[in-house]
Amino acid sequence: MKRVELLVKDTLYNEYLERNVESETDIEVCRHDLQHHIDVARILYILVLEHNDLNYFMRESGITGKLAAKEVIYAAGLLHDVAKWKEYKIGVDHASQGSKLAREILPRAFFNPMETDIVCQAIYEHRNISRDMSFLGERLHRADNLSRVCSHCTYAGKCPKVMNKEIGISMTSFEY
Ligand SMILES: [Fe+2]
């Protein structure tokens, strides 16, 4: 996964993740660091594989080859919260801003315009579930929720996502 390795080493990507870490140093929220992004990328790929959807995704998106499809899936996970720092700083929606920042970063790791569009759309959509989401956007939303163990989180009592029931606090369900 050469392009994913390039992405993880990219200076702009790392600068934005560092801004996430700095923004969350003194506040009680779940972290949006490299670990979270790697967790979501791996869960997202598992979700696609578990349902035998890799070939469907390639056909539906026009991506040629399983390696390219895997790199696109990982890129969506690795970039999805890259603009979280902007939400803390100026109150903008991190999903729409993240899709803009991802559009800047992806070509630097040699993702082509079609692949960039697929990743950016998924990032744009990942915050809320809706009926007309893209295949990757819907899986990204689920992978993001599955990456957190809210039942054991010390911030759960204050978490807006838990309080608004956007995310389940039970650990009893492992249904994807
Ligand atoms: Fe996330």
Side-chain angles (χ1 to χ4, degrees), residues 35-51 73-74 76-78 80 136 138-149 174-176:
Q35 184 65 61
H36 173 61
H37 287 86
I38 290 176
D39 290 345
V40 172
R42 288 177 170 150
I43 295 167
L44 179 57
Y45 189 55
I46 290 168
L47 280 180
V48 175
L49 293 184
E50 258 200 358
H51 294 271
I73 291 165
Y74 265 75
L78 287 168
H80 78 282
L136 198 58
E138 195 270 341
R139 270 68 177 182
L140 181 57
H141 174 84
R142 282 201 280 148
D144 198 14
N145 285 347
L146 287 164
S147 73
R148 304 294 193 187
V149 187
F174 286 90
E175 293 302 322
Y176 297 164

Side-chain angles (χ1 to χ4, degrees), residues 44 48 53-54 56-57 60 73 125 133-140:
L44 179 57
V48 175
D53 280 337
L54 193 60
Y56 168 79
F57 175 55
E60 182 243 20
I73 291 165
E125 296 168 331
M133 296 174 88
S134 66
F135 171 88
L136 198 58
E138 195 270 341
R139 270 68 177 182
L140 181 57

Side-chain angles (χ1 to χ4, degrees), residues 3 38 45 50-51 87 102 110 114 122 140 152 158 165:
R3 295 188 297 176
I38 290 176
Y45 189 55
E50 258 200 358
H51 294 271
E87 193 167 285
F110 301 102
M114 182 194 72
L140 181 57
H152 286 61
K158 300 172 197 161
K165 295 194 169 64

Side-chain angles (χ1 to χ4, degrees), residues 113-135:
M114 182 194 72
E115 294 167 329
T116 298
D117 283 347
I118 294 163
V119 173
C120 292
Q121 186 181 349
I123 293 172
Y124 183 85
E125 296 168 331
H126 88 273
R127 190 170 194 174
N128 300 305
I129 200 90
S130 72
R131 207 177 290 177
D132 54 354
M133 296 174 88
S134 66
F135 171 88

